[in-house]
Amino acid sequence: LAGLGGQARDRARLYAAKHPLANRLQSALLPHTLPRVPGLRVAARYLPAARGLGVGGDFYDLIRLDEHTAGAAIGDVQGHNVDAAALMGQVRTAVHAHATVGAAPGDVLARTNRLLTDLDPGLFTSCAYVHLDLATRRACLATAGHPPPLLRHPDGRTELLRVPPGLLLGIEPDIRYPAREFALPPGGVLALYTDGLVEAPGVDLDDATAALAGLLEHADAADLDATADALIRHAPTPGDDIALLLISPDA
């Protein structure tokens, strides 16, 4: 009994040491603050998984490109451990780097995918990247196996932005990622999210996405922080980590 008790105490000490380390790693890899982009309001949330070390591979990013354009990314690396968090940092850095040199959304994902297949980490990643043109009020979206974003129009109508999804990042090196252009009107809200916000055992994914769209439709578009909090509260018990990024052009 004394031996078993000692082993349990050692495991507890090891967990207590690893948990803050994992949390510091996660915090270091996610944006500390989002850049200020004139004419754009944003709100972001991250909720760690309730199981394991509470660290995972979900990420989001907002990238200021020039005076009138910006990029937004969200993604989910397979797994809930330090390896997933480390790969998440590499993916986020790659997306950011390719976006800042002016690559189109499909090319951003294709180049990031090539990097991941070269690294061969043994983990796959879903990702969505959106190029925002605030001068023309247009956006362009490409996805790699990621849940489609939601767009709340100024009149409250909410639309699921479906685009032919490419393969998850890290599977095949030479994959093309189709893109879709859409209007991003002043006062509209673009919601990028990871699957932890809608997926749960025994819950139909389409029903959960429709419920999320309904919440976004009835939210106060003028208060993105309150909207983000309401959408996060909608999430099932977080067995998976959750990332959420809301974007709205000024009216």
Side-chain angles (χ1 to χ4, degrees), residues 11-160:
R11 286 194 296 270
R13 286 178 174 174
L14 180 61
Y15 179 83
K18 284 184 175 180
H19 192 266
L21 177 62
N23 284 338
R24 288 199 300 271
L25 174 63
Q26 184 88 57
S27 299
L29 294 175
L30 289 170
H32 295 291
T33 59
L34 294 176
R36 296 178 63 87
V37 179
L40 203 63
R41 297 181 299 118
V42 297
R45 298 290 185 272
Y46 174 78
L47 189 65
R51 56 188 171 89
L53 291 176
V55 63
D58 285 18
F59 69 93
Y60 59 85
D61 203 1
L62 182 70
I63 308 156
R64 181 172 178 175
L65 301 176
D66 60 34
E67 185 178 356
H68 300 294
T69 61
I74 196 158
D76 183 358
V77 177
Q78 174 189 10
H80 304 95
N81 51 37
V82 174
D83 291 339
L87 181 60
M88 174 268 283
Q90 292 176 305
V91 174
R92 178 175 166 248
T93 299
V95 169
H96 196 113
H98 294 310
T100 53
V101 298
D107 292 334
V108 168
L109 295 185
R111 295 175 186 179
T112 303
N113 173 66
R114 184 58 184 262
L115 171 66
L116 260 65
T117 54
D118 288 346
L119 292 174
D120 191 21
L123 298 174
F124 303 134
T125 303
S126 73
C127 187
Y129 176 75
V130 188
H131 181 270
L132 309 165
D133 190 326
L134 302 179
T136 63
R137 307 290 188 177
R138 303 285 299 176
C140 186
L141 163 70
T143 72
H146 198 80
L150 292 166
L151 176 62
R152 183 189 189 275
H153 294 269
D155 61 3
R157 178 176 57 89
T158 301
E159 173 187 3
L160 193 66

Side-chain angles (χ1 to χ4, degrees), residues 145-190:
H146 198 80
L150 292 166
L151 176 62
R152 183 189 189 275
H153 294 269
D155 61 3
R157 178 176 57 89
T158 301
E159 173 187 3
L160 193 66
L161 294 174
R162 297 191 181 277
V163 59
L167 280 178
L168 294 167
L169 303 177
I171 297 178
E172 293 288 343
D174 300 314
I175 295 295
R176 298 177 64 87
Y177 292 91
R180 170 185 173 177
E181 290 194 4
F182 59 95
L184 189 64
V189 179
L190 179 64

Side-chain angles (χ1 to χ4, degrees), residues 189-221:
V189 179
L190 179 64
L192 307 175
Y193 56 93
T194 55
D195 57 9
L197 192 57
V198 290
E199 286 189 353
V203 177
D204 182 82
L205 182 58
D206 290 338
D207 291 343
T209 304
L212 183 68
L215 283 176
L216 182 61
E217 181 176 342
H218 294 96
D220 181 5

